Amino acid sequence: MPAKKSAPTGSEDVRTKVHDLISLTPETRLRLARLACARCGSTEALRPGGHAYTHSPDGGRLGWAVEVCANCPVHLPQERELRS
């Protein structure tokens, strides 16, 4: 049986705010890279889960397609606000 991947620590859903690229934690980087659930950090049963955003160097925002696990919701209630 393959070894289970360890989930990153931290409980912040990366989809809830716009992140600063310079100060990303290793856990947030895994979530933005679609290697862990954007909400809980699980690495099991990932599926498309919307978008997270980081500030771009020119003052705009960069969108990242992220994944969520089977136990977490795909869309957030405030997702429209983050897109605008």
Side-chain angles (χ1 to χ4, degrees):
M1 181 173 231
K4 191 174 184 178
K5 295 179 183 177
S6 61
T9 59
S11 60
E12 181 186 13
D13 187 330
V14 296
R15 302 172 297 170
T16 61
K17 69 177 188 176
V18 180
H19 301 272
D20 181 13
L21 278 173
I22 296 172
S23 61
L24 293 177
T25 65
E27 294 82 17
T28 300
R29 289 182 186 279
L30 285 174
R31 294 174 188 201
L32 292 176
R34 302 175 78 171
L35 298 173
C37 176
R39 183 167 185 244
C40 72
S42 171
T43 58
E44 302 295 320
L46 298 175
R47 60 195 168 109
H51 292 83
Y53 298 91
T54 57
H55 294 286
S56 71
D58 66 1
R61 292 185 304 171
L62 301 171
W64 300 72
V66 294
E67 304 278 316
V68 292
C69 69
N71 296 319
C72 290
V74 172
H75 300 290
L76 295 174
Q78 72 272 31
E79 188 173 5
R80 284 190 197 139
E81 295 173 22
L82 290 170
R83 287 185 188 175
S84 57

